[in-house]
């Protein structure tokens, strides 16, 4: 799923890797919105519900392949600003591509939480506040996490 900056091929969903675990959804969205507000329609930062920290990767669906290429050029191999992290951002294509495919993928997912800040978010350009994707909520604390969008070999 390596990103090829020389080839704009219509793919719009990116995986952002090597995110410092202390970044919250709100913090990462603030960084993303500095240059990409109104340029994406889906965002998900998977969370370890037990420890309440992110898993080190996120997914964002940009509105166009050109916006995806722009984000790649701006973020790939850059160091994170917060927490004196030594982690270096890596951008790849996500396995699941496009807003509708992401909606279908997560529609029946179950999350062991009720807080919107831990759920995938849908954005409508020009509509302001995002909406959490309507998903199932787990009924037991031992509920499993949703199936990841990438294989385990691709997770940092």
């Amino acid at each position: 799923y390596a990103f090829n900056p020389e080839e704009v091929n219509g793919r719009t969903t990116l995986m952002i890797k090597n995110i410092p675990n202390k970044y919250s959804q709100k913090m990462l969205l603030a960084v993303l919105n500095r240059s990409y507000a109104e340029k994406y329609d889906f965002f998900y930062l998977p969370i370890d519900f037990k420890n309440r920290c992110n898993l080190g990767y996120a997914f964002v669906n940009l509105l166009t392949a050109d916006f995806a290429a722009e984000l790649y050029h701006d973020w790939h191999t850059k160091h994170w600003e917060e927490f004196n992290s030594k982690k270096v951002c890596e951008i790849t294509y996500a396995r699941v591509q496009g807003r509708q495919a992401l909606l279908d993928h997560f529609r029946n997912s179950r999350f062991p939480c009720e807080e919107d800040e831990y759920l995938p978010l849908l954005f409508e350009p020009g509509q302001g506040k995002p909406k959490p994707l309507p998903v199932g909520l787990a009924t037991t604390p031992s509920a499993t996490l949703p199936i990841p969008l990438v294989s385990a070999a691709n997770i940092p």
Side-chain angles (χ1 to χ4, degrees):
Y1 301 105
F3 192 97
N4 182 351
E6 305 304 317
E7 177 183 312
V8 177
N9 56 16
R11 291 191 279 183
T12 58
T13 307
L14 301 178
M15 181 179 186
I16 303 168
K17 296 181 174 183
N18 300 326
I19 301 167
N21 299 96
K22 292 182 181 180
Y23 268 78
S24 67
Q25 181 187 80
K26 184 177 180 179
M27 290 175 67
L28 190 55
L29 284 170
V31 174
L32 187 61
N33 284 336
R34 287 181 199 157
S35 299
Y36 295 93
E38 304 288 321
K39 293 183 179 181
Y40 61 96
D41 59 11
F42 178 93
F43 176 86
Y44 179 46
L45 177 66
I47 297 294
D48 175 337
F49 295 104
K50 182 179 177 185
N51 296 317
R52 301 277 187 201
C53 62
N54 79 64
L55 296 178
Y57 60 94
F59 300 96
V60 62
N61 186 65
L62 287 298
L63 298 178
T64 69
D66 287 334
F67 290 156
E70 196 178 308
L71 190 142
Y72 174 86
H73 287 292
D74 289 348
W75 288 37
H76 188 66
T77 70
K78 302 291 192 270
H79 287 273
W80 294 96
E81 299 171 354
E82 302 292 331
F83 309 117
N84 293 323
S85 176
K86 294 186 186 330
K87 290 186 175 187
V88 177
C89 181
E90 183 181 350
I91 303 293
T92 62
Y93 288 116
R95 182 179 57 82
V96 177
Q97 283 293 313
R99 179 182 167 124
Q100 189 58 52
L102 291 162
L103 294 174
D104 294 343
H105 179 84
F106 282 107
R107 181 162 282 122
N108 296 317
S109 295
R110 300 180 71 73
F111 295 80
C113 72
E114 295 185 21
E115 296 92 2
D116 289 350
E117 68 183 287
Y118 300 128
L119 299 176
L121 297 176
L122 299 175
F123 294 81
E124 298 294 337
Q127 298 294 314
K129 189 175 178 179
K131 293 183 266 186
L133 178 67
V135 295
L137 296 177
T139 56
T140 65
S142 62
T144 58
L145 294 174
I147 298 169
L149 295 176
V150 295
S151 68
N154 291 332
I155 298 174

